[in-house]
Amino acid sequence: MKTITTGICVAAMLGSTAVLADSTIVKVPRENGAVHQEFKNLLNDTLSKFRSGVGRVELTGTASNDQSCNANFYTTGETTFVTMAVNDSNGEFYNEFYIDHPHQSFKKVLFQNLIMNDENVELKVVQRDGGYSIITDGKSLKLSSKARGAESPTCQFSLAQATLHEGETE
């Protein structure tokens, strides 16, 4: 119940909300910087370690198909550029995308939501030709993406094992 109450308060500040079962869905506004701000809020404990506010978070983990998975989050004040690679028996899935580039167009964005429940928070962006999902409980992070018709397995990372590279950009 605590999450729903918090979600309603956040929703009242950010816009409309819909409650499904034990989750609260907050629509992220289609404004430059809105999704990136939500991403920074999700990973505040990790990103706040960059003294300059700029750097790369390197994550190594396991995909839902038990294969290796790597992700890099190149964060600046305005945006985060993400690279994601999964090695599996079918070859390699690779995708790169911006979390809310300052010059992005919203024409292809179908929806962008913050989904909160008692276990975790998910930032989900769905576009006509792709999208991504970032789920965190503060200790771990799950990442999945879709691009050009191919969908990645879900990658699981421990935030405690993240390698931080101060000042590094894409």
Side-chain angles (χ1 to χ4, degrees), residues 43-168:
L43 295 183
N44 185 51
D45 289 344
T46 302
L47 299 177
S48 66
K49 294 176 184 170
F50 292 130
R51 292 182 308 272
S52 66
V54 175
R56 174 171 63 105
V57 178
E58 180 182 8
L59 298 168
T60 302
T62 306
S64 54
N65 59 6
D66 290 329
Q67 301 298 318
S68 66
C69 189
N70 297 12
N72 289 286
F73 294 85
Y74 297 86
T75 301
T76 67
E78 296 180 318
T79 190
T80 296
F81 181 73
V82 181
T83 64
M84 176 184 187
V86 182
N87 297 316
D88 64 14
S89 58
N90 297 328
E92 184 172 307
F93 174 88
Y94 180 81
N95 192 16
E96 55 186 40
F97 55 91
Y98 281 97
I99 294 178
D100 203 10
H101 190 275
H103 304 294
Q104 98 176 21
S105 164
F106 293 96
K107 290 179 184 176
K108 294 183 179 185
V109 174
L110 299 176
F111 65 84
Q112 42 194 38
N113 293 328
L114 192 63
I115 304 166
M116 300 173 282
N117 61 46
D118 290 336
E119 290 82 41
N120 55 44
V121 178
E122 176 180 13
L123 180 61
K124 185 169 189 143
V125 175
V126 175
Q127 301 172 336
R128 284 190 178 92
D129 58 351
Y132 59 89
S133 169
I134 300 169
I135 303 171
T136 186
D137 61 4
K139 295 178 178 94
S140 65
L141 181 135
K142 292 180 182 178
L143 175 64
S144 60
S145 70
K146 185 176 182 181
R148 300 168 295 284
E151 190 167 345
S152 76
T154 299
C155 294
Q156 174 94 23
F157 305 101
S158 168
L159 291 173
Q161 296 176 348
T163 304
L164 303 178
H165 304 272
E166 177 76 35
E168 193 170 314

